[in-house]
Amino acid sequence: MSRPTPAVDGPAAQARAQLTEDDRAGFDRLAHAVLSAPGASKQPALGAVLRSQLPGNAGVRWLHAEGISPMSRASELTAEQWLSLHTAWLTHEQAPRSGGRGNGHGPRTDSRHGHAPGAQAAPRWF
C-alpha cells in the first residue's frame, strides 16, 4: 500500500525554495522519506527516521552537530536544519557504495568452488 506524498510546507518549503532547481528533486526525495516514515501520523522520532536515510551513525552525528534530540520530530526542524540535513544526505548519497561488481570490488560470483578466481582449496591428503 502506498502512502500519499506529504506536502512540503513550513520550514521544509522555505528550505526547498533556497535550493537550485537541480537540487530540489533530491530534497523532495529526502523530505518525502522523512515526512512519510512509518507512523507518520504520529511523527516518528527523527533518530529512527534518519537511520534509514543516513548510513551508520551519520544520522546521530548530524543530530548531535545540530543540537537536536533524537526524539525530536521532523515538524520541529527549522529551514536551516532542513538545508543542513539535505547537505548531509547529499554527502552520503553521492559517496561510493561498497559491494557489487561496478567498482571492481565486492563479492566474486564467477567462482564455483567457493574461492576467489584462480584459487584452489588445499588438497586433503590425510
Side-chain angles (χ1 to χ4, degrees), residues 76-100:
E76 299 170 17
L77 294 178
T78 65
E80 293 77 23
Q81 290 168 333
W82 273 106
L83 289 171
S84 173
L85 176 59
H86 182 250
T87 300
W89 180 78
L90 279 177
T91 300
H92 293 288
E93 192 67 15
Q94 295 170 354
R97 303 279 189 240
S98 63

Side-chain angles (χ1 to χ4, degrees):
M1 176 169 91
S2 66
R3 295 182 193 102
T5 304
V8 176
D9 59 355
Q14 293 169 3
R16 185 183 188 278
Q18 295 178 40
L19 296 172
T20 65
E21 190 66 35
D22 293 339
D23 289 338
R24 288 181 182 169
F27 183 86
D28 290 343
R29 283 195 321 267
L30 173 64
H32 173 70
V34 170
L35 296 172
S36 67
S41 61
K42 296 185 275 182
Q43 280 275 323
L46 271 173
V49 173
L50 293 182
R51 245 181 264 133
S52 67
Q53 298 305 311
L54 296 172
N57 61 0
V60 173
R61 285 193 318 253
W62 179 81
L63 288 167
H64 181 71
E66 292 293 323
I68 301 171
S69 166
M71 299 306 294
S72 297
R73 310 290 184 226
S75 60
E76 299 170 17
L77 294 178
T78 65
E80 293 77 23
Q81 290 168 333
W82 273 106
L83 289 171
S84 173
L85 176 59
H86 182 250
T87 300
W89 180 78
L90 279 177
T91 300
H92 293 288
E93 192 67 15
Q94 295 170 354
R97 303 279 189 240
S98 63
R101 301 281 294 170
N103 61 4
H105 298 99
R108 306 275 184 191
T109 58
D110 57 351
S111 174
R112 296 179 195 219
H113 51 77
H115 298 280
Q120 296 292 323
R124 292 190 169 179
W125 299 103
F126 45 104

